[in-house]
Amino acid sequence: MRKGMLYGSAALYLGAYLGYRLQVKFEYLIILTLLISISFVLTKAELKLFVLLSFCIGFSIINYCEESSMLSQLIGRANVKGYIEEVYSKSDFGNTYTAFIYDIDNNKIEERCLYFIKGKEKIEPGSHFKSNVKIEQIRDAGNPGLFSYKDYLRIRGIYAKLSSNEREIKINKVDLPLGLKFRNKVLNYINNEMNRGLNKENSSFMNSVMTGKSDLSQVDRDSIRQLGLSHIMAISGLHMGIISLFLIYFLRFFKIDLNIIYIIIIFLLGLYIYIIDFRASAFRAYIMISLFMIAAVLHKGYSAKKALSLSVYIILLTNPYRVNDIGFILSVLAIIAIISYDEFSLYDTENLQLMTGLKFCIIINLVLFPFLIYYFNRFNLLTFIANLIVIPLFSIAVSTAVLKLMISLIAPRISFYLGSFIDSIIMIIREIMDLLNQIDFLSIKLPSSTFYIIIYYLILLSFLKRYDLKKSSYAIKKKVFKISSLFVSIYILTNFLLDPAIIDFIDIGQGDAALIRSGKYSAMIDTGGSYDDEERLYKYTLRPYLEKQLSNKVDMVIISHDDLDHSGNLEYMYRDGLVDLVVSSDYELNKRYLNSFDLYTDDVFRLNNMSLKTVTDGRKGDSTNDRSNIIKLSHHKLEILFTGDIESEAERRVLNHDIKAEVLKVPHHGSQSSSTPDFLDSVSPKYAIISVGKNNYSHPNEDVIRRLEDRGATVYRTDTDGRIRIISHRLGYYLKKNLPKRRNRINYLEIFEFVIILISSHIIYKFMTSGDDNEDIKLY
């Protein structure tokens, strides 16, 4: 087995990933020194240079992409010239476009961006414009693990967003570059054809399948994702395989030589890849298919492993931000699973096989399982059945769609009938998905954990191909037992001797929500919520965050007061069974929930060695804000004071209480009416946390921030720092913010953790695979 390109692509990926995580400019020497040391341990002599070079390229190129973007360095107003590429999204207030900018304040630039134009007028693609615009940086995900819109746009080469009014833009001419003009015409042609003979919902389904652009409802998206069928909606290797096999059968019907068929398919698939804007999963499949067909034409050998490694290398070189592309990662892992399980050509046209067998479905999902849990926090056991039933029907629908597109110009009536046939197939698929989604008890829900993913994945890979567990030697079993015992011991030492606790101030926008965990117990103080659309905030922020952090529901939710920005998400948590007990001093709120508890002053709740004490229940307050409950958390050397939205009057009433704390959750999002000097002197915090989002109230107030800083408090804000985590244990505590991702200095702790994981993983792998015959490793 020749693993040169395999090691190279892995090193390139690790370099790009670490470069993305650290995002430093000139402090490469420490990283490179560590890499050189690791490479001498992990690789054979002739690979050292290639692995090192690949890592350095990956580490450098992702930083270069960020630095080379002029728009990513600017904030404010500027005069720009450019042209509209396509409509990105529509709203009642205006339209968002992807635009190409070639001049900014009379300086040459070549960069894509998002461009929001306020107003109802639709601007045609190809419109060249000049405008005075506002440049905004796209905010990263405030809560780790949740969808990052910034990363999503980076993958597409977009680093900033421009905005202006209709009156600020002047159209000069309408003229798209030839390539984009061709792309748009083909996309419009596909869209129109998918509309003929299909109803609206099924047309949207097929448009997503064929072009990657869709207006599918969120209900349909959730239904597809919950069954593990997301790969049929994203243009992936499955689509490329179906299309290439259909074209082979179709062209061979006309007695065309197989070598010529291969050349035609490489050309047609290349055009298709360009039309769908080089989506990574499809691009990976295209490279592998092309290499196979070129090898067949030249009568050369073909290695799926080498082709996969080369495709990964090419894709990451062209766009290193693909390290964050979930579809690309899952696509590569699925192919690795297939290749590792069975050595066969994926594109053997002399002996075509439908890979719908149960063994392939199981092995792919076994490999993908930890990553599906990490990204989506759920795995439906019906995925196996869903794939076995849906994939054959889906293959028929895609093949028919290709045929429909090919004959629509010469036989439009037949094309319409084919559309009706596709419509029936998609209707059956949707009915099957709806039926399977009703069986909810087979859905496994687990929190995200990098540590357990590594252990699961290494053990699976080690045994999957190399060992039959029933026949494995006593020595191997003994090593497995020793490794397992080591990790169990580390877990016991960490959780029982240090007794850690985690307090997360969630980035919930303009609101409050804190998740508290100690051992197997959890609690929340407030849930956040939006006055405009609190269910959307819950669905896309709070619920996924809780699913990523917890293996079960929250044991207790304490509500400071019944304002929507503090309690609005509670009803949705209760509806979905994510909360066991509601605690509040508000009678009207408590009576809405079956499991509720009335909160009073001096009540104490315990979570392991942590206590949550009610300093005051707020019943004496004259306003809604002043009726906020004040809670003091104590855990070893840490004390946190949660203050809800109390204002000056309530602050005055608690001055004689025990409110001194190392950490203060700043009252009322930093409002000027709160955080009086006497109150701050009594609390005397070392750290002040302001839970705040975009608002029209001027929160937080500059005077409040100044008063906190004058008293030596370090101020953290969820709107600029994202989620703020406090980790407390017997030896002390420390705070960690999630934003900004870019750092001016290297985080040496993060480097150390990364190196430890890498070395530990290699040691485990060596233990698990010892005794194998080592093959020569050559670089090709």
Side-chain angles (χ1 to χ4, degrees):
M1 189 192 306
R2 298 180 173 89
K3 300 181 179 178
M5 184 54 68
L6 175 63
Y7 282 134
S9 59
L12 184 69
Y13 182 91
L14 289 174
Y17 178 76
L18 191 57
Y20 165 77
R21 289 291 300 273
L22 298 179
Q23 295 189 18
V24 294
K25 297 180 181 179
F26 303 109
E27 296 173 293
Y28 291 176
L29 292 179
I30 295 177
I31 302 295
L32 297 184
T33 302
L34 287 171
L35 175 70
I36 292 171
S37 302
I38 294 170
S39 67
F40 273 83
V41 174
L42 302 186
T43 62
K44 292 195 173 183
E46 61 186 274
L47 278 180
K48 289 186 176 71
L49 181 60
F50 181 58
V51 171
L52 179 60
L53 180 62
S54 298
F55 182 93
C56 293
I57 291 173
F59 190 87
S60 303
I61 194 172
I62 201 164
N63 285 280
Y64 172 78
C65 289
E66 182 80 14
E67 296 298 325
S68 64
S69 168
M70 184 181 296
L71 291 177
S72 67
Q73 315 299 322
L74 301 175
I75 297 177
R77 301 201 70 88
N79 294 308
V80 300
K81 296 178 182 178
Y83 61 83
I84 301 296
E85 291 186 339
E86 63 179 348
V87 179
Y88 182 80
S89 63
K90 301 176 182 179
S91 73
D92 294 335
F93 306 101
N95 298 321
T96 301
Y97 306 85
T98 56
F100 186 84
I101 306 301
Y102 49 76
D103 184 279
I104 180 168
D105 289 335
N106 296 320
N107 294 311
K108 186 177 179 182
I109 181 177
E110 294 183 355
E111 194 168 338
R112 296 180 74 194
C113 67
L114 285 186
Y115 185 17
F116 173 74
I117 302 176
K118 186 176 181 180
K120 296 184 178 181
E121 182 181 349
K122 180 181 177 181
I123 300 178
E124 294 298 323
S127 299
H128 287 247
F129 63 85
K130 60 180 179 179
S131 178
N132 182 264
V133 299
K134 179 182 178 182
I135 303 175
E136 303 173 67
Q137 298 306 308
I138 300 166
R139 189 176 187 266
D140 211 337
N143 299 300
L146 301 193
F147 174 74
S148 173
Y149 191 51
K150 186 174 184 177
D151 286 343
Y152 173 80
L153 292 175
R154 277 172 167 172
I155 292 172
R156 286 149 183 80
I158 295 174
Y159 296 87
K161 181 178 180 180
L162 313 183
S163 60
S164 68
N165 295 313
E166 286 179 344
R167 62 178 181 274
E168 294 174 317
I169 184 170
K170 181 179 179 181
I171 305 299
N172 298 323
K173 60 178 179 177
V174 179
D175 182 27
L176 266 178
L178 184 60
L180 284 177
K181 189 180 297 184
F182 171 74
R183 175 187 291 169
N184 286 348
K185 284 186 177 181
V186 174
L187 287 174
N188 288 333
Y189 169 70
I190 295 175
N191 179 70
N192 292 334
E193 279 304 311
M194 292 303 104
N195 287 334
R196 294 182 67 245
L198 288 80
N199 67 34
K200 184 177 180 180
E201 291 79 9
N202 294 338
S203 173
S204 296
F205 188 101
M206 285 308 298
N207 268 311
S208 178
V209 166
M210 301 304 293
T211 68
K213 302 177 184 297
S214 171
D215 56 354
L216 275 180
S217 68
Q218 194 59 48
V219 174
D220 285 339
R221 294 177 185 275
D222 291 342
S223 174
I224 292 166
R225 186 171 63 104
Q226 288 168 12
L227 283 174
L229 294 171
S230 297
H231 56 288
I232 71 173
M233 300 309 299
I235 301 179
S236 63
L238 173 65
H239 300 64
M240 301 298 288
I242 293 171
I243 293 172
S244 60
L245 290 176
F246 170 78
L247 290 175
I248 288 172
Y249 278 122
F250 181 79
L251 294 174
R252 289 184 74 175
F253 178 79
F254 296 99
K255 308 299 182 181
I256 301 176
D257 182 75
L258 190 59
N259 288 339
I260 296 177
I261 290 175
Y262 287 159
I263 295 172
I264 293 173
I265 290 175
I266 291 173
F267 174 74
L268 292 178
L269 290 184
L271 286 179
Y272 184 54
I273 289 296
Y274 171 76
I275 289 165
I276 61 175
D277 201 18
F278 295 91
R279 293 178 181 268
S281 300
F283 191 23
R284 187 271 310 157
Y286 173 68
I287 294 173
M288 294 186 69
I289 292 172
S290 297
L291 289 174
F292 162 74
M293 293 181 174
I294 291 171
V297 171
L298 299 177
H299 304 290
K300 299 289 186 180
Y302 173 78
S303 167
K305 295 177 182 178
K306 287 171 64 176
L308 175 62
S309 301
L310 181 60
S311 66
V312 171
Y313 209 94
I314 292 172
I315 289 170
L316 291 180
L317 279 180
T318 55
N319 188 342
Y321 282 110
R322 293 291 184 188
V323 296
N324 296 313
D325 190 332
I326 297 175
F328 172 60
I329 294 170
L330 296 180
S331 170
V332 171
L333 288 173
I335 296 299
I336 290 174
I338 295 171
I339 294 174
S340 299
Y341 185 78
D342 199 270
E343 299 279 354
F344 67 95
S345 172
L346 300 179
Y347 310 105
D348 183 4
T349 56
E350 296 301 323
N351 185 26
L352 294 174
Q353 301 180 27
L354 291 176
M355 294 195 307
T356 57
L358 184 60
K359 63 176 182 178
F360 289 111
C361 185
I362 291 175
I363 200 65
I364 290 172
N365 281 283
L366 277 176
V367 172
L368 294 184
F369 174 77
F371 291 91
L372 292 172
I373 291 296
Y374 182 81
Y375 289 124
F376 307 117
N377 302 107
R378 64 182 65 221
F379 182 85
N380 197 323
L381 295 177
L382 292 174
T383 292
F384 304 109
I385 297 176
N387 276 278
L388 287 172
I389 298 175
V390 169
I391 296 304
L393 294 172
F394 176 77
S395 301
I396 294 171
V398 172
S399 299
T400 307
V402 175
L403 180 62
K404 174 179 170 62
L405 292 171
M406 293 172 64
I407 69 172
S408 61
L409 295 176
I410 58 175
R413 182 173 294 275
I414 295 177
S415 172
F416 181 84
Y417 291 141
L418 290 175
S420 299
F421 176 71
I422 296 171
D423 188 73
S424 301
I425 296 293
I426 300 303
M427 188 66 70
I428 294 172
I429 291 175
R430 290 164 66 100
E431 290 290 339
I432 292 171
M433 292 192 299
D434 289 342
L435 178 63
L436 294 178
N437 269 313
Q438 293 177 15
I439 310 174
D440 189 55
F441 67 92
L442 291 176
S443 180
I444 300 172
K445 299 178 183 179
L446 293 170
S448 300
S449 172
T450 304
F451 178 79
Y452 292 114
I453 285 177
I454 292 172
I455 302 305
Y456 173 95
Y457 199 56
L458 286 171
I459 292 175
L460 179 64
L461 286 181
S462 298
F463 283 110
L464 197 62
K465 178 70 176 177
R466 299 172 181 269
Y467 296 111
D468 179 353
L469 286 175
K470 294 181 180 179
K471 299 179 181 179
S472 59
S473 66
Y474 173 77
I476 293 173
K477 292 179 179 179
K478 187 176 180 180
K479 290 174 183 177
V480 173
F481 175 77
K482 287 181 178 179
I483 295 169
S484 302
S485 300
L486 174 63
F487 283 105
V488 170
S489 300
I490 292 173
Y491 178 83
I492 293 173
L493 287 172
T494 302
N495 287 278
F496 290 92
L497 296 184
L498 290 179
D499 185 30
I502 299 174
I503 301 93
D504 288 343
F505 292 85
I506 304 170
D507 179 14
I508 201 73
Q510 180 66 9
D512 277 16
L515 174 64
I516 302 164
R517 286 169 287 165
S518 180
K520 64 179 182 179
Y521 300 104
S522 61
M524 286 190 70
I525 297 180
D526 289 337
T527 65
S530 168
Y531 283 96
D532 297 325
D533 188 358
E534 60 267 19
E535 186 170 11
R536 180 176 177 84
L537 181 66
Y538 165 73
K539 190 172 184 178
Y540 298 110
T541 300
L542 183 60
R543 187 178 70 183
Y545 185 78
L546 294 178
E547 289 176 346
K548 287 193 171 296
Q549 304 298 324
L550 301 173
S551 57
N552 207 337
K553 57 187 174 182
V554 179
D555 296 306
M556 173 177 63
V557 173
I558 301 175
I559 298 297
S560 64
H561 63 298
D562 197 17
D563 277 358
L564 282 178
D565 60 334
H566 291 253
S567 63
N569 289 325
L570 177 60
E571 64 173 294
Y572 303 109
M573 289 181 63
Y574 199 85
R575 178 196 64 189
D576 291 348
L578 294 181
V579 55
D580 193 26
L581 177 66
V582 176
V583 179
S584 170
S585 61
D586 189 314
Y587 172 77
E588 293 298 325
L589 184 147
N590 285 344
K591 74 178 185 180
R592 298 201 296 261
Y593 302 100
L594 183 62
N595 298 327
S596 62
F597 183 85
D598 290 329
L599 183 69
Y600 292 92
T601 299
D602 293 330
D603 280 349
V604 177
F605 302 93
R606 293 198 173 275
L607 284 77
N608 286 346
N609 290 326
M610 175 190 293
S611 70
L612 296 168
K613 180 180 179 181
T614 309
V615 177
T616 174
D617 59 26
R619 284 184 169 86
K620 296 180 181 180
D622 295 328
S623 66
T624 302
N625 288 338
D626 277 348
R627 286 194 290 271
S628 296
N629 303 305
I630 300 177
I631 309 294
K632 187 173 183 178
L633 179 153
S634 300
H635 183 260
H636 298 306
K637 298 181 179 181
L638 172 68
E639 290 181 323
I640 305 175
L641 191 68
F642 292 87
T643 58
D645 278 351
I646 62 170
E647 297 179 322
S648 57
E649 180 60 28
E651 290 179 351
R652 183 187 61 79
R653 287 200 304 270
V654 299
L655 292 179
N656 295 327
H657 290 71
D658 178 20
I659 58 174
K660 184 176 176 60
E662 283 77 18
V663 179
L664 170 66
K665 200 293 296 182
V666 176
H668 201 186
H669 321 292
S671 168
Q672 189 175 17
S673 61
S674 305
S675 301
T676 58
D678 290 342
F679 177 76
L680 295 181
D681 289 337
S682 296
V683 179
S684 188
K686 296 179 181 178
Y687 302 96
I689 296 175
I690 304 175
S691 186
V692 65
K694 188 175 181 180
N695 64 87
N696 298 320
Y697 310 108
S698 299
H699 294 165
N701 183 266
E702 292 182 2
D703 290 338
V704 170
I705 294 176
R706 189 179 302 111
R707 288 200 292 269
L708 289 164
E709 292 176 341
D710 287 345
R711 286 159 176 78
T714 302
V715 178
Y716 290 85
R717 303 168 44 166
T718 56
D719 61 336
T720 56
D721 299 324
R723 183 212 63 187
I724 300 158
R725 167 167 287 183
I726 303 177
I727 299 178
S728 171
H729 47 73
R730 294 184 190 275
L731 304 180
Y733 65 92
Y734 64 94
L735 283 76
K736 180 180 180 181
K737 60 184 182 179
N738 188 52
L739 298 177
K741 290 288 195 286
R742 173 162 288 285
R743 307 173 176 92
N744 293 323
R745 300 178 62 84
I746 286 182
N747 186 328
Y748 296 100
L749 178 62
E750 194 167 59
I751 295 175
F752 177 74
E753 291 174 348
F754 177 81
V755 173
I756 290 298
I757 289 174
L758 187 64
I759 294 176
S760 300
S761 301
H762 181 70
I763 291 172
I764 294 170
Y765 183 77
K766 284 295 185 183
F767 269 132
M768 303 295 288
T769 58
S770 60
D772 281 353
D773 295 330
N774 292 321
E775 301 178 9
D776 291 337
I777 301 176
K778 297 182 180 180
L779 176 62
Y780 285 89

